[in-house]
Amino acid sequence: MPQARTPVSITTPIYYVNDRPHIGHAYTTTLCDVWARAQRLDGRDVFFLTGTDEHGAKVEKSARERGITPQALADENSEEFRKVMALFGLSNDDFIRTTEARHESQVKLFVQRLLVSGDIYLGEFEGWYDEGQEEYVTDTRAKELDYKSPISGKPLVRAKEHNYYFKLSAYASKLEAFFDAHPEFVRPLGRFNEVRGRLREGLQDVPVTRTNFSWGIGMPGAPEHVIYVWIDALFNYATALGLAEPSGAVARARGKYWPPEYHVIGKEILWFHAVVWPAMLMALEIPMPKCVYAHSFWISNGQKMSKSLGNFIDLPTIEAYFAKYGLDAWRWYMTTQGPIGTQDADFSPKHFHEIYTAQLVNTFANCASRTSSMIEKYFAGAMPDAETASMPISAAVGASTWSAFTEATAADVQKRYANFELAEAADAALSVIRAVDLLINETQPFKLAKDPANLPQVARILGVCAEGVRIAAVLLLPIMPTKCSEVLAAYGSPMESEMATGGVAEAARWGRLAAGTRISKCAPFMRVDAPAV
Ligand code: ME8
């Protein structure tokens, strides 16, 4: 039976339009895409949100340097991000821009509500300011950082402002209690501990407006104050669902997607997402997101990627990988080798090539290809007619029968996808292919087939292999939608769209591949030359 279509949602950060899209943006969005696809295939009603962050002093400055308006710069670069989504086959359900009227009007409503409740007030503030990040840091933190920005390395400056503030300090104990009750609120655990530790140091109120630039949303009732870009940006998660107008059409259609299962972000913006945003939600009496997942960074040849070092894996570089290895190989590498935990991951062309060759060419493609070739050769390309469900499996796999093994694996893979353990989900799915390879190596059907008397046994072995390849392709669809659809088509099996109604459990059920089904030769990944370096 398909699962109930429980509404779930996931978000990426909204990306700054003063930057060109690069591997970091592609990475976070791809992870969310894998999760979203897996949930859709599991019969869930999914809302996957991404977009662009378009206000602030940096955009204003870049536009001035280019002699264009900030809106023109935002339009141009936001379009670039949108194109990237299409290029990467990303299945986002909406793309929100902070310069859109639907966002601006709701931000004003939210801020108005916070003014009325007294959570936002007019005050004066002096503190240590990180100009590059457009962010104040506490005195304790400034000292720890040796008064330098942890991102740019530039000195922090002492700044004084007459501004509107959000009473973050009033939420310190509530936040601590919330964290203690929800140890899964921030993941991975190392990041949870980091934030929990910093919460003990106490909280300062945060400015929600600025007067030193004008490219932003005006403060209701005080338009000389512009809403600080971070406050403006965080609200995107709520404005996309229309939450500021609970009885409006958007909220009626999309309100069911709140709270999100995951806000997926990079580690550098964790504080805003795990502390400032939750406190604002508490003040607005909006339920908390279920988890803020902060991954680490891609680095390049052991060094932080930066504009000054010129070592960013930028769009043209990524496109060269697509041309050589294909989009799905790129998605595989992002999902299985990326910095999803607390460690940064080094992007190296050599490692990319090794993973591609070992896991996709030699394992996935080779298995799909040799199984289909043998079926072609010995059974004229038709799924053999043989009982396979009770076929014993190699002791090395650790299950009783093939059907028991794949059923348990499919359940495990789905659970891991849902739990954002994406690399583990990929590995568990690939374990079906490894088990098929083991069966081929242990039984050597190509040798058995030399004696016609062995054909019933060969039929049983290849029947198992074909079913195994098909199930692995079903389980890997969220990561490699194109290649897995190709394999499924070659194995005469349902496509992604058909599966969405039946759910993965049904699609991955052993024995769906009926005897006589046409199986054509396929080789989803081809060997390519190693990189020069
Ligand atoms: O911070 N490795 O936008 P942004 C992995 N507009 N991921 C990386 C990365 C790297 N080297 N570099 C960037 C902003 N990212 C704000 C967010 S949200 C309300 C506002 C990814 O364009 C990662 O997800 O600087 C990081 O958090 C995001 O890009 C920052 O994108």
mmCIF file with all atom_site columns, all heavy atoms in Angstrom, residues 13-16 22 24-25 28 53 230 233 237 266 268-269 273 295 297-298, ligand 1:
data_model
loop_
_atom_site.group_PDB
_atom_site.id
_atom_site.type_symbol
_atom_site.label_atom_id
_atom_site.label_alt_id
_atom_site.label_comp_id
_atom_site.label_asym_id
_atom_site.label_entity_id
_atom_site.label_seq_id
_atom_site.pdbx_PDB_ins_code
_atom_site.Cartn_x
_atom_site.Cartn_y
_atom_site.Cartn_z
_atom_site.occupancy
_atom_site.B_iso_or_equiv
_atom_site.pdbx_formal_charge
_atom_site.auth_seq_id
_atom_site.auth_comp_id
_atom_site.auth_asym_id
_atom_site.auth_atom_id
_atom_site.pdbx_PDB_model_num
ATOM   1   N N   . PRO A 1 13  ? 19.501 27.408 1.977  1.00 0.00 ? 13  PRO A N   1
ATOM   2   C CA  . PRO A 1 13  ? 19.626 28.851 2.239  1.00 0.00 ? 13  PRO A CA  1
ATOM   3   C C   . PRO A 1 13  ? 19.191 29.580 0.969  1.00 0.00 ? 13  PRO A C   1
ATOM   4   O O   . PRO A 1 13  ? 19.170 28.980 -0.109 1.00 0.00 ? 13  PRO A O   1
ATOM   5   C CB  . PRO A 1 13  ? 21.133 29.052 2.461  1.00 0.00 ? 13  PRO A CB  1
ATOM   6   C CG  . PRO A 1 13  ? 21.714 27.700 2.645  1.00 0.00 ? 13  PRO A CG  1
ATOM   7   C CD  . PRO A 1 13  ? 20.810 26.727 1.944  1.00 0.00 ? 13  PRO A CD  1
ATOM   8   N N   . ILE A 1 14  ? 18.853 30.845 1.081  1.00 0.00 ? 14  ILE A N   1
ATOM   9   C CA  . ILE A 1 14  ? 18.662 31.599 -0.160 1.00 0.00 ? 14  ILE A CA  1
ATOM   10  C C   . ILE A 1 14  ? 20.003 32.262 -0.432 1.00 0.00 ? 14  ILE A C   1
ATOM   11  O O   . ILE A 1 14  ? 20.656 32.790 0.472  1.00 0.00 ? 14  ILE A O   1
ATOM   12  C CB  . ILE A 1 14  ? 17.475 32.578 -0.082 1.00 0.00 ? 14  ILE A CB  1
ATOM   13  C CG1 . ILE A 1 14  ? 17.505 33.424 1.186  1.00 0.00 ? 14  ILE A CG1 1
ATOM   14  C CG2 . ILE A 1 14  ? 16.168 31.819 -0.211 1.00 0.00 ? 14  ILE A CG2 1
ATOM   15  C CD1 . ILE A 1 14  ? 16.484 34.550 1.189  1.00 0.00 ? 14  ILE A CD1 1
ATOM   16  N N   . TYR A 1 15  ? 20.427 32.193 -1.679 1.00 0.00 ? 15  TYR A N   1
ATOM   17  C CA  . TYR A 1 15  ? 21.806 32.548 -2.012 1.00 0.00 ? 15  TYR A CA  1
ATOM   18  C C   . TYR A 1 15  ? 21.943 34.024 -2.373 1.00 0.00 ? 15  TYR A C   1
ATOM   19  O O   . TYR A 1 15  ? 21.063 34.604 -3.001 1.00 0.00 ? 15  TYR A O   1
ATOM   20  C CB  . TYR A 1 15  ? 22.296 31.647 -3.151 1.00 0.00 ? 15  TYR A CB  1
ATOM   21  C CG  . TYR A 1 15  ? 22.161 30.182 -2.781 1.00 0.00 ? 15  TYR A CG  1
ATOM   22  C CD1 . TYR A 1 15  ? 21.285 29.333 -3.467 1.00 0.00 ? 15  TYR A CD1 1
ATOM   23  C CD2 . TYR A 1 15  ? 22.870 29.654 -1.694 1.00 0.00 ? 15  TYR A CD2 1
ATOM   24  C CE1 . TYR A 1 15  ? 21.143 28.002 -3.101 1.00 0.00 ? 15  TYR A CE1 1
ATOM   25  C CE2 . TYR A 1 15  ? 22.733 28.326 -1.315 1.00 0.00 ? 15  TYR A CE2 1
ATOM   26  C CZ  . TYR A 1 15  ? 21.871 27.507 -2.026 1.00 0.00 ? 15  TYR A CZ  1
ATOM   27  O OH  . TYR A 1 15  ? 21.718 26.199 -1.645 1.00 0.00 ? 15  TYR A OH  1
ATOM   28  N N   . TYR A 1 16  ? 23.082 34.582 -1.972 1.00 0.00 ? 16  TYR A N   1
ATOM   29  C CA  . TYR A 1 16  ? 23.352 35.995 -2.273 1.00 0.00 ? 16  TYR A CA  1
ATOM   30  C C   . TYR A 1 16  ? 23.521 36.210 -3.763 1.00 0.00 ? 16  TYR A C   1
ATOM   31  O O   . TYR A 1 16  ? 24.300 35.484 -4.406 1.00 0.00 ? 16  TYR A O   1
ATOM   32  C CB  . TYR A 1 16  ? 24.653 36.441 -1.597 1.00 0.00 ? 16  TYR A CB  1
ATOM   33  C CG  . TYR A 1 16  ? 24.554 36.692 -0.126 1.00 0.00 ? 16  TYR A CG  1
ATOM   34  C CD1 . TYR A 1 16  ? 25.517 36.175 0.739  1.00 0.00 ? 16  TYR A CD1 1
ATOM   35  C CD2 . TYR A 1 16  ? 23.532 37.467 0.417  1.00 0.00 ? 16  TYR A CD2 1
ATOM   36  C CE1 . TYR A 1 16  ? 25.455 36.419 2.104  1.00 0.00 ? 16  TYR A CE1 1
ATOM   37  C CE2 . TYR A 1 16  ? 23.469 37.709 1.780  1.00 0.00 ? 16  TYR A CE2 1
ATOM   38  C CZ  . TYR A 1 16  ? 24.430 37.182 2.621  1.00 0.00 ? 16  TYR A CZ  1
ATOM   39  O OH  . TYR A 1 16  ? 24.366 37.415 3.952  1.00 0.00 ? 16  TYR A OH  1
ATOM   40  N N   . HIS A 1 22  ? 28.302 28.538 -7.386 1.00 0.00 ? 22  HIS A N   1
ATOM   41  C CA  . HIS A 1 22  ? 29.489 27.673 -7.371 1.00 0.00 ? 22  HIS A CA  1
ATOM   42  C C   . HIS A 1 22  ? 29.157 26.348 -6.700 1.00 0.00 ? 22  HIS A C   1
ATOM   43  O O   . HIS A 1 22  ? 28.010 26.108 -6.319 1.00 0.00 ? 22  HIS A O   1
ATOM   44  C CB  . HIS A 1 22  ? 30.672 28.389 -6.701 1.00 0.00 ? 22  HIS A CB  1
ATOM   45  C CG  . HIS A 1 22  ? 30.407 28.829 -5.288 1.00 0.00 ? 22  HIS A CG  1
ATOM   46  N ND1 . HIS A 1 22  ? 30.211 27.945 -4.247 1.00 0.00 ? 22  HIS A ND1 1
ATOM   47  C CD2 . HIS A 1 22  ? 30.263 30.066 -4.736 1.00 0.00 ? 22  HIS A CD2 1
ATOM   48  C CE1 . HIS A 1 22  ? 29.992 28.613 -3.127 1.00 0.00 ? 22  HIS A CE1 1
ATOM   49  N NE2 . HIS A 1 22  ? 30.010 29.914 -3.397 1.00 0.00 ? 22  HIS A NE2 1
ATOM   50  N N   . GLY A 1 24  ? 29.424 25.185 -3.782 1.00 0.00 ? 24  GLY A N   1
ATOM   51  C CA  . GLY A 1 24  ? 28.756 25.213 -2.480 1.00 0.00 ? 24  GLY A CA  1
ATOM   52  C C   . GLY A 1 24  ? 27.242 25.312 -2.638 1.00 0.00 ? 24  GLY A C   1
ATOM   53  O O   . GLY A 1 24  ? 26.488 24.579 -1.989 1.00 0.00 ? 24  GLY A O   1
ATOM   54  N N   . HIS A 1 25  ? 26.809 26.213 -3.511 1.00 0.00 ? 25  HIS A N   1
ATOM   55  C CA  . HIS A 1 25  ? 25.369 26.371 -3.730 1.00 0.00 ? 25  HIS A CA  1
ATOM   56  C C   . HIS A 1 25  ? 24.791 25.099 -4.354 1.00 0.00 ? 25  HIS A C   1
ATOM   57  O O   . HIS A 1 25  ? 23.726 24.618 -3.966 1.00 0.00 ? 25  HIS A O   1
ATOM   58  C CB  . HIS A 1 25  ? 25.087 27.560 -4.663 1.00 0.00 ? 25  HIS A CB  1
ATOM   59  C CG  . HIS A 1 25  ? 25.763 28.829 -4.234 1.00 0.00 ? 25  HIS A CG  1
ATOM   60  N ND1 . HIS A 1 25  ? 26.580 29.556 -5.051 1.00 0.00 ? 25  HIS A ND1 1
ATOM   61  C CD2 . HIS A 1 25  ? 25.768 29.468 -3.039 1.00 0.00 ? 25  HIS A CD2 1
ATOM   62  C CE1 . HIS A 1 25  ? 27.042 30.611 -4.405 1.00 0.00 ? 25  HIS A CE1 1
ATOM   63  N NE2 . HIS A 1 25  ? 26.562 30.573 -3.165 1.00 0.00 ? 25  HIS A NE2 1
ATOM   64  N N   . THR A 1 28  ? 24.517 22.156 -1.515 1.00 0.00 ? 28  THR A N   1
ATOM   65  C CA  . THR A 1 28  ? 23.393 22.191 -0.571 1.00 0.00 ? 28  THR A CA  1
ATOM   66  C C   . THR A 1 28  ? 22.088 21.901 -1.306 1.00 0.00 ? 28  THR A C   1
ATOM   67  O O   . THR A 1 28  ? 21.241 21.142 -0.824 1.00 0.00 ? 28  THR A O   1
ATOM   68  C CB  . THR A 1 28  ? 23.295 23.582 0.104  1.00 0.00 ? 28  THR A CB  1
ATOM   69  O OG1 . THR A 1 28  ? 24.601 23.969 0.516  1.00 0.00 ? 28  THR A OG1 1
ATOM   70  C CG2 . THR A 1 28  ? 22.386 23.554 1.303  1.00 0.00 ? 28  THR A CG2 1
ATOM   71  N N   . ASP A 1 53  ? 18.759 35.728 -2.125 1.00 0.00 ? 53  ASP A N   1
ATOM   72  C CA  . ASP A 1 53  ? 18.791 36.741 -1.080 1.00 0.00 ? 53  ASP A CA  1
ATOM   73  C C   . ASP A 1 53  ? 19.335 38.005 -1.757 1.00 0.00 ? 53  ASP A C   1
ATOM   74  O O   . ASP A 1 53  ? 20.499 38.026 -2.166 1.00 0.00 ? 53  ASP A O   1
ATOM   75  C CB  . ASP A 1 53  ? 19.759 36.212 0.000  1.00 0.00 ? 53  ASP A CB  1
ATOM   76  C CG  . ASP A 1 53  ? 19.786 37.047 1.249  1.00 0.00 ? 53  ASP A CG  1
ATOM   77  O OD1 . ASP A 1 53  ? 19.134 38.102 1.277  1.00 0.00 ? 53  ASP A OD1 1
ATOM   78  O OD2 . ASP A 1 53  ? 20.475 36.638 2.209  1.00 0.00 ? 53  ASP A OD2 1
ATOM   79  N N   . TRP A 1 230 ? 19.795 40.004 7.029  1.00 0.00 ? 230 TRP A N   1
ATOM   80  C CA  . TRP A 1 230 ? 19.638 38.671 7.610  1.00 0.00 ? 230 TRP A CA  1
ATOM   81  C C   . TRP A 1 230 ? 18.221 38.420 8.111  1.00 0.00 ? 230 TRP A C   1
ATOM   82  O O   . TRP A 1 230 ? 17.677 37.325 7.963  1.00 0.00 ? 230 TRP A O   1
ATOM   83  C CB  . TRP A 1 230 ? 20.654 38.464 8.748  1.00 0.00 ? 230 TRP A CB  1
ATOM   84  C CG  . TRP A 1 230 ? 21.811 37.669 8.240  1.00 0.00 ? 230 TRP A CG  1
ATOM   85  C CD1 . TRP A 1 230 ? 23.066 38.121 7.959  1.00 0.00 ? 230 TRP A CD1 1
ATOM   86  C CD2 . TRP A 1 230 ? 21.778 36.286 7.890  1.00 0.00 ? 230 TRP A CD2 1
ATOM   87  N NE1 . TRP A 1 230 ? 23.823 37.102 7.455  1.00 0.00 ? 230 TRP A NE1 1
ATOM   88  C CE2 . TRP A 1 230 ? 23.065 35.961 7.405  1.00 0.00 ? 230 TRP A CE2 1
ATOM   89  C CE3 . TRP A 1 230 ? 20.811 35.288 7.915  1.00 0.00 ? 230 TRP A CE3 1
ATOM   90  C CZ2 . TRP A 1 230 ? 23.403 34.685 6.979  1.00 0.00 ? 230 TRP A CZ2 1
ATOM   91  C CZ3 . TRP A 1 230 ? 21.148 34.013 7.486  1.00 0.00 ? 230 TRP A CZ3 1
ATOM   92  C CH2 . TRP A 1 230 ? 22.426 33.725 7.018  1.00 0.00 ? 230 TRP A CH2 1
ATOM   93  N N   . ALA A 1 233 ? 16.069 37.975 5.140  1.00 0.00 ? 233 ALA A N   1
ATOM   94  C CA  . ALA A 1 233 ? 16.305 36.691 4.470  1.00 0.00 ? 233 ALA A CA  1
ATOM   95  C C   . ALA A 1 233 ? 15.694 35.513 5.224  1.00 0.00 ? 233 ALA A C   1
ATOM   96  O O   . ALA A 1 233 ? 15.074 34.633 4.620  1.00 0.00 ? 233 ALA A O   1
ATOM   97  C CB  . ALA A 1 233 ? 17.809 36.478 4.298  1.00 0.00 ? 233 ALA A CB  1
ATOM   98  N N   . TYR A 1 237 ? 11.617 31.610 4.551  1.00 0.00 ? 237 TYR A N   1
ATOM   99  C CA  . TYR A 1 237 ? 11.084 30.260 4.787  1.00 0.00 ? 237 TYR A CA  1
ATOM   100 C C   . TYR A 1 237 ? 9.591  30.314 5.125  1.00 0.00 ? 237 TYR A C   1
ATOM   101 O O   . TYR A 1 237 ? 8.854  29.377 4.834  1.00 0.00 ? 237 TYR A O   1
ATOM   102 C CB  . TYR A 1 237 ? 11.841 29.598 5.940  1.00 0.00 ? 237 TYR A CB  1
ATOM   103 C CG  . TYR A 1 237 ? 13.344 29.520 5.733  1.00 0.00 ? 237 TYR A CG  1
ATOM   104 C CD1 . TYR A 1 237 ? 14.242 30.022 6.686  1.00 0.00 ? 237 TYR A CD1 1
ATOM   105 C CD2 . TYR A 1 237 ? 13.867 28.930 4.581  1.00 0.00 ? 237 TYR A CD2 1
ATOM   106 C CE1 . TYR A 1 237 ? 15.620 29.937 6.499  1.00 0.00 ? 237 TYR A CE1 1
ATOM   107 C CE2 . TYR A 1 237 ? 15.244 28.857 4.388  1.00 0.00 ? 237 TYR A CE2 1
ATOM   108 C CZ  . TYR A 1 237 ? 16.113 29.354 5.350  1.00 0.00 ? 237 TYR A CZ  1
ATOM   109 O OH  . TYR A 1 237 ? 17.469 29.269 5.155  1.00 0.00 ? 237 TYR A OH  1
ATOM   110 N N   . GLY A 1 266 ? 24.940 25.720 5.319  1.00 0.00 ? 266 GLY A N   1
ATOM   111 C CA  . GLY A 1 266 ? 26.359 25.515 5.597  1.00 0.00 ? 266 GLY A CA  1
ATOM   112 C C   . GLY A 1 266 ? 26.642 25.935 7.039  1.00 0.00 ? 266 GLY A C   1
ATOM   113 O O   . GLY A 1 266 ? 25.887 26.722 7.625  1.00 0.00 ? 266 GLY A O   1
ATOM   114 N N   . GLU A 1 268 ? 28.579 27.978 8.364  1.00 0.00 ? 268 GLU A N   1
ATOM   115 C CA  . GLU A 1 268 ? 28.897 29.376 8.689  1.00 0.00 ? 268 GLU A CA  1
ATOM   116 C C   . GLU A 1 268 ? 27.664 30.205 9.038  1.00 0.00 ? 268 GLU A C   1
ATOM   117 O O   . GLU A 1 268 ? 27.794 31.298 9.588  1.00 0.00 ? 268 GLU A O   1
ATOM   118 C CB  . GLU A 1 268 ? 29.695 30.006 7.525  1.00 0.00 ? 268 GLU A CB  1
ATOM   119 C CG  . GLU A 1 268 ? 28.884 30.607 6.378  1.00 0.00 ? 268 GLU A CG  1
ATOM   120 C CD  . GLU A 1 268 ? 28.161 29.602 5.479  1.00 0.00 ? 268 GLU A CD  1
ATOM   121 O OE1 . GLU A 1 268 ? 28.053 28.419 5.825  1.00 0.00 ? 268 GLU A OE1 1
ATOM   122 O OE2 . GLU A 1 268 ? 27.667 30.045 4.423  1.00 0.00 ? 268 GLU A OE2 1
ATOM   123 N N   . ILE A 1 269 ? 26.477 29.676 8.708  1.00 0.00 ? 269 ILE A N   1
ATOM   124 C CA  . ILE A 1 269 ? 25.274 30.478 8.989  1.00 0.00 ? 269 ILE A CA  1
ATOM   125 C C   . ILE A 1 269 ? 24.375 29.780 10.019 1.00 0.00 ? 269 ILE A C   1
ATOM   126 O O   . ILE A 1 269 ? 23.167 30.002 10.065 1.00 0.00 ? 269 ILE A O   1
ATOM   127 C CB  . ILE A 1 269 ? 24.513 30.849 7.698  1.00 0.00 ? 269 ILE A CB  1
ATOM   128 C CG1 . ILE A 1 269 ? 24.135 29.603 6.888  1.00 0.00 ? 269 ILE A CG1 1
ATOM   129 C CG2 . ILE A 1 269 ? 25.359 31.776 6.834  1.00 0.00 ? 269 ILE A CG2 1
ATOM   130 C CD1 . ILE A 1 269 ? 23.301 29.936 5.627  1.00 0.00 ? 269 ILE A CD1 1
ATOM   131 N N   . HIS A 1 273 ? 20.378 30.543 12.010 1.00 0.00 ? 273 HIS A N   1
ATOM   132 C CA  . HIS A 1 273 ? 19.307 29.565 11.811 1.00 0.00 ? 273 HIS A CA  1
ATOM   133 C C   . HIS A 1 273 ? 18.932 28.812 13.080 1.00 0.00 ? 273 HIS A C   1
ATOM   134 O O   . HIS A 1 273 ? 17.790 28.390 13.233 1.00 0.00 ? 273 HIS A O   1
ATOM   135 C CB  . HIS A 1 273 ? 19.704 28.559 10.723 1.00 0.00 ? 273 HIS A CB  1
ATOM   136 C CG  . HIS A 1 273 ? 19.579 29.119 9.347  1.00 0.00 ? 273 HIS A CG  1
ATOM   137 N ND1 . HIS A 1 273 ? 20.553 29.899 8.779  1.00 0.00 ? 273 HIS A ND1 1
ATOM   138 C CD2 . HIS A 1 273 ? 18.580 29.048 8.442  1.00 0.00 ? 273 HIS A CD2 1
ATOM   139 C CE1 . HIS A 1 273 ? 20.159 30.263 7.569  1.00 0.00 ? 273 HIS A CE1 1
ATOM   140 N NE2 . HIS A 1 273 ? 18.962 29.760 7.344  1.00 0.00 ? 273 HIS A NE2 1
ATOM   141 N N   . HIS A 1 295 ? 25.812 21.413 7.244  1.00 0.00 ? 295 HIS A N   1
ATOM   142 C CA  . HIS A 1 295 ? 26.940 20.629 6.724  1.00 0.00 ? 295 HIS A CA  1
ATOM   143 C C   . HIS A 1 295 ? 28.213 21.473 6.754  1.00 0.00 ? 295 HIS A C   1
ATOM   144 O O   . HIS A 1 295 ? 28.178 22.686 7.004  1.00 0.00 ? 295 HIS A O   1
ATOM   145 C CB  . HIS A 1 295 ? 26.627 20.104 5.320  1.00 0.00 ? 295 HIS A CB  1
ATOM   146 C CG  . HIS A 1 295 ? 26.391 21.179 4.300  1.00 0.00 ? 295 HIS A CG  1
ATOM   147 N ND1 . HIS A 1 295 ? 27.379 22.023 3.856  1.00 0.00 ? 295 HIS A ND1 1
ATOM   148 C CD2 . HIS A 1 295 ? 25.261 21.554 3.638  1.00 0.00 ? 295 HIS A CD2 1
ATOM   149 C CE1 . HIS A 1 295 ? 26.877 22.847 2.962  1.00 0.00 ? 295 HIS A CE1 1
ATOM   150 N NE2 . HIS A 1 295 ? 25.581 22.595 2.821  1.00 0.00 ? 295 HIS A NE2 1
ATOM   151 N N   . PHE A 1 297 ? 32.184 22.309 4.771  1.00 0.00 ? 297 PHE A N   1
ATOM   152 C CA  . PHE A 1 297 ? 32.538 22.953 3.499  1.00 0.00 ? 297 PHE A CA  1
ATOM   153 C C   . PHE A 1 297 ? 33.325 22.066 2.545  1.00 0.00 ? 297 PHE A C   1
ATOM   154 O O   . PHE A 1 297 ? 34.151 21.263 2.968  1.00 0.00 ? 297 PHE A O   1
ATOM   155 C CB  . PHE A 1 297 ? 33.399 24.196 3.796  1.00 0.00 ? 297 PHE A CB  1
ATOM   156 C CG  . PHE A 1 297 ? 32.576 25.433 4.010  1.00 0.00 ? 297 PHE A CG  1
ATOM   157 C CD1 . PHE A 1 297 ? 31.207 25.359 4.230  1.00 0.00 ? 297 PHE A CD1 1
ATOM   158 C CD2 . PHE A 1 297 ? 33.180 26.685 3.978  1.00 0.00 ? 297 PHE A CD2 1
ATOM   159 C CE1 . PHE A 1 297 ? 30.446 26.507 4.411  1.00 0.00 ? 297 PHE A CE1 1
ATOM   160 C CE2 . PHE A 1 297 ? 32.432 27.842 4.163  1.00 0.00 ? 297 PHE A CE2 1
ATOM   161 C CZ  . PHE A 1 297 ? 31.071 27.750 4.379  1.00 0.00 ? 297 PHE A CZ  1
ATOM   162 N N   . TRP A 1 298 ? 33.064 22.278 1.282  1.00 0.00 ? 298 TRP A N   1
ATOM   163 C CA  . TRP A 1 298 ? 33.980 21.763 0.265  1.00 0.00 ? 298 TRP A CA  1
ATOM   164 C C   . TRP A 1 298 ? 35.206 22.661 0.305  1.00 0.00 ? 298 TRP A C   1
ATOM   165 O O   . TRP A 1 298 ? 35.074 23.892 0.339  1.00 0.00 ? 298 TRP A O   1
ATOM   166 C CB  . TRP A 1 298 ? 33.360 21.868 -1.131 1.00 0.00 ? 298 TRP A CB  1
ATOM   167 C CG  . TRP A 1 298 ? 32.395 20.781 -1.450 1.00 0.00 ? 298 TRP A CG  1
ATOM   168 C CD1 . TRP A 1 298 ? 31.046 20.903 -1.524 1.00 0.00 ? 298 TRP A CD1 1
ATOM   169 C CD2 . TRP A 1 298 ? 32.708 19.422 -1.746 1.00 0.00 ? 298 TRP A CD2 1
ATOM   170 N NE1 . TRP A 1 298 ? 30.492 19.691 -1.845 1.00 0.00 ? 298 TRP A NE1 1
ATOM   171 C CE2 . TRP A 1 298 ? 31.486 18.759 -1.983 1.00 0.00 ? 298 TRP A CE2 1
ATOM   172 C CE3 . TRP A 1 298 ? 33.891 18.681 -1.830 1.00 0.00 ? 298 TRP A CE3 1
ATOM   173 C CZ2 . TRP A 1 298 ? 31.417 17.408 -2.296 1.00 0.00 ? 298 TRP A CZ2 1
ATOM   174 C CZ3 . TRP A 1 298 ? 33.815 17.332 -2.146 1.00 0.00 ? 298 TRP A CZ3 1
ATOM   175 C CH2 . TRP A 1 298 ? 32.602 16.703 -2.381 1.00 0.00 ? 298 TRP A CH2 1
HETATM 176 O O1  . ME8 B 2 .   ? 24.940 32.965 3.320  1.00 0.00 ? 1   ME8 B O1  1
HETATM 177 N N1  . ME8 B 2 .   ? 30.973 24.203 0.703  1.00 0.00 ? 1   ME8 B N1  1
HETATM 178 O O2  . ME8 B 2 .   ? 24.240 33.050 1.120  1.00 0.00 ? 1   ME8 B O2  1
HETATM 179 P P1  . ME8 B 2 .   ? 25.490 32.496 0.308  1.00 0.00 ? 1   ME8 B P1  1
HETATM 180 C C1  . ME8 B 2 .   ? 29.705 23.819 0.908  1.00 0.00 ? 1   ME8 B C1  1
HETATM 181 N N2  . ME8 B 2 .   ? 22.278 34.637 1.767  1.00 0.00 ? 1   ME8 B N2  1
HETATM 182 N N3  . ME8 B 2 .   ? 28.657 24.672 0.884  1.00 0.00 ? 1   ME8 B N3  1
HETATM 183 C C2  . ME8 B 2 .   ? 28.906 25.959 0.638  1.00 0.00 ? 1   ME8 B C2  1
HETATM 184 C C3  . ME8 B 2 .   ? 30.209 26.443 0.403  1.00 0.00 ? 1   ME8 B C3  1
HETATM 185 C C4  . ME8 B 2 .   ? 31.285 25.497 0.441  1.00 0.00 ? 1   ME8 B C4  1
HETATM 186 N N4  . ME8 B 2 .   ? 32.552 25.824 0.220  1.00 0.00 ? 1   ME8 B N4  1
HETATM 187 N N5  . ME8 B 2 .   ? 30.152 27.772 0.184  1.00 0.00 ? 1   ME8 B N5  1
HETATM 188 C C5  . ME8 B 2 .   ? 28.833 28.102 0.256  1.00 0.00 ? 1   ME8 B C5  1
HETATM 189 C C6  . ME8 B 2 .   ? 24.144 33.296 2.469  1.00 0.00 ? 1   ME8 B C6  1
HETATM 190 N N6  . ME8 B 2 .   ? 28.072 27.016 0.528  1.00 0.00 ? 1   ME8 B N6  1
HETATM 191 C C7  . ME8 B 2 .   ? 22.841 33.953 2.870  1.00 0.00 ? 1   ME8 B C7  1
HETATM 192 C C8  . ME8 B 2 .   ? 21.912 32.909 3.425  1.00 0.00 ? 1   ME8 B C8  1
HETATM 193 S S1  . ME8 B 2 .   ? 19.555 32.056 4.367  1.00 0.00 ? 1   ME8 B S1  1
HETATM 194 C C9  . ME8 B 2 .   ? 18.228 32.761 5.107  1.00 0.00 ? 1   ME8 B C9  1
HETATM 195 C C10 . ME8 B 2 .   ? 20.579 33.394 3.903  1.00 0.00 ? 1   ME8 B C10 1
HETATM 196 C C11 . ME8 B 2 .   ? 26.605 26.951 0.628  1.00 0.00 ? 1   ME8 B C11 1
HETATM 197 O O3  . ME8 B 2 .   ? 25.212 32.801 -1.116 1.00 0.00 ? 1   ME8 B O3  1
HETATM 198 C C12 . ME8 B 2 .   ? 26.156 26.666 2.051  1.00 0.00 ? 1   ME8 B C12 1
HETATM 199 O O4  . ME8 B 2 .   ? 24.852 26.155 2.029  1.00 0.00 ? 1   ME8 B O4  1
HETATM 200 O O5  . ME8 B 2 .   ? 26.751 32.978 0.885  1.00 0.00 ? 1   ME8 B O5  1
HETATM 201 C C13 . ME8 B 2 .   ? 26.148 28.048 2.640  1.00 0.00 ? 1   ME8 B C13 1
HETATM 202 O O6  . ME8 B 2 .   ? 25.406 28.148 3.818  1.00 0.00 ? 1   ME8 B O6  1
HETATM 203 C C14 . ME8 B 2 .   ? 25.523 28.830 1.499  1.00 0.00 ? 1   ME8 B C14 1
HETATM 204 O O7  . ME8 B 2 .   ? 26.081 28.233 0.322  1.00 0.00 ? 1   ME8 B O7  1
HETATM 205 C C15 . ME8 B 2 .   ? 25.844 30.301 1.592  1.00 0.00 ? 1   ME8 B C15 1
HETATM 206 O O8  . ME8 B 2 .   ? 25.369 30.935 0.460  1.00 0.00 ? 1   ME8 B O8  1
#
